[in-house]
Amino acid sequence: MSEELAFNPDRSAFDFKYAEDYAYDAGVGLNENVVKYISGVKGEDPWVLDFRLKALKIFFEKPNPTHWATKLLDSIDFSKIRYYLAKGAQRRKSWDEVPEDVKKTFERLGVPERERAFLAGIDAQFDSESAYSNMEKRLSSMGVVFVDSSVGLKKYPEIFKKYFGKVIPPSDNKYAALNSAVFSGGSFIYVPKGIKVEQPLQAYFRINAENFGQFERTLIIADEGSELMYMEGCTAPKFETGTLHSAVVELVALKGAKIQYVTVQNWSNNVFNLVTKRAVAEEDAQVRWIDCNIGSGLTMKYPAVMLKGKRAKGEVISIALANNGQHQDTGAKMIHLADDTTSNIVSKSVSVGSGRASYRGLVSISKNVKNCRNNTVCDALLINSNSRNDTYPAITCSGENNSVQHEASVSKLSEEQIFYMRSRGLSEAEATSLAVNGFVNDLVREFPMEYSVELKRLIELQMEGAVG
């Protein structure tokens, strides 16, 4: 794919919005009536509304997390957020049927070009609902399901209900409970036994409205011996007021299945990005999270893998870039619950200006399992003297013949390095970008080619004026 087709990572390219004209609006603030309104618009079964109302109660009862982010999270005023906005409840399978302003938004973001160029299927969400969804007929004929969560609930209840809320229950944390109460949009994917989806499936999430919360819910089930790659991109225009993004992602990899989940986010600085992502890997299954966190004022995201079956494998590859006024608190969780399971965590973070990046990880190997292995590597690069990086590993290793390896390093970009590269004709921004791209290059190669180009260009833009 050519560089021209990769969507432009420059934040200014995303700082646009069109006039709001919504057919469905739950109003401002959160209460039972809002939850009932959302469920009513969607025409959900009674058990779904019951699930939502129980989750709402949990949300109100649970406090905010008590670690470092408490003060930042306490600044979120839930009474001023709009929890559901939609142009219409019906998703479209043709660009000609998409509302004109929504169509213009996704055309500016390059979504149609990406679909034509290299995707097997795409779902584009605008605020609360999917605006456009399409998948190759060839995959449909093979039994692959790729729809938004609302369609999944109605059309495939026998499999959706079996796994929905089981990997991440509403009681998991305050924001998982919030999502469970007001979830809308997101993807439901089912890949039948033995089917290997060769091209990626992608979802694109766009926040257009001010004082808004986006709460997509994604559930992916890879049946025995199947394989797929799923990619998601996220943007929002910049507002003076805070915007909340609180998603829940549940992955289930059955015996011998493989799932790769790729995320590239480029939120504006006013977004609180509070996401819960977790996978279950059965016997001989593999789950790989590939994650890039750029933008947002605060990100809290720790993709997890529950290694439930023998010889299951889990991996998290992550890049985080924290610029001025940003805090990227990211990491990974690996829970070993069966013999001969292996996990790998590789995290690289870059802190620019007054930005702060934190790695928060959990590795747990139960005393009831044996022959398990984990390797964790956390590398940080500080660009300025006031940049900050923290590492908070939590490791429990017991049982028989199990091992855990943790390595962490912090380096600083020196003025001498910049001076040397500038003496070779590079500008300050070019020199800084070259150093940062070299630092993350081995992980960037893990992303699909289309995203690798995007990440390198984004780093170049982020480094402008970073040193000095």
Side-chain angles (χ1 to χ4, degrees), residues 115-137:
E115 179 186 11
R116 289 191 290 266
F118 74 104
L119 297 175
I122 191 165
D123 188 278
Q125 180 169 332
F126 188 88
D127 289 336
S128 293
E129 292 289 359
S130 171
Y132 171 77
S133 184
N134 196 23
M135 184 176 67
E136 290 183 353
K137 291 181 180 180

Side-chain angles (χ1 to χ4, degrees), residues 37 118 146:
Y37 178 89
F118 74 104
F146 178 32

Side-chain angles (χ1 to χ4, degrees), residues 165-176:
K166 304 300 192 298
V167 181
I168 303 173
S171 59
D172 189 82
N173 64 78
K174 186 176 182 69
Y175 294 92

Side-chain angles (χ1 to χ4, degrees), residues 155-168:
K155 198 171 180 180
Y156 307 94
E158 67 288 342
I159 187 167
F160 194 102
K161 191 174 181 180
K162 180 180 179 180
Y163 295 102
F164 175 68
K166 304 300 192 298
V167 181
I168 303 173

Side-chain angles (χ1 to χ4, degrees), residues 236-300:
K238 185 175 182 179
F239 296 112
E240 295 301 321
T241 54
T243 298
L244 178 59
H245 176 250
S246 184
V248 165
V249 177
E250 298 176 292
L251 307 184
V252 179
L254 299 180
K255 183 177 179 180
K258 297 180 181 179
I259 300 177
Q260 286 197 78
Y261 195 108
V262 181
T263 301
V264 175
Q265 70 169 47
N266 190 19
W267 294 117
S268 55
N269 285 14
N270 59 295
V271 175
F272 287 86
N273 185 39
L274 313 173
V275 178
T276 307
K277 294 184 172 183
R278 189 173 303 149
V280 170
E282 300 288 354
E283 184 177 332
D284 293 313
Q286 298 179 31
V287 175
R288 196 175 196 225
W289 300 95
I290 304 177
D291 209 42
C292 178
N293 300 288
I294 296 174
S296 89
L298 169 65
T299 288
M300 297 172 66

Side-chain angles (χ1 to χ4, degrees), residues 90-103:
Q90 183 65 41
R91 69 195 181 106
R92 282 79 171 180
K93 291 187 176 182
S94 168
W95 279 107
D96 295 335
E97 299 173 0
V98 176
E100 194 62 30
D101 53 350
V102 178
K103 188 190 303 183

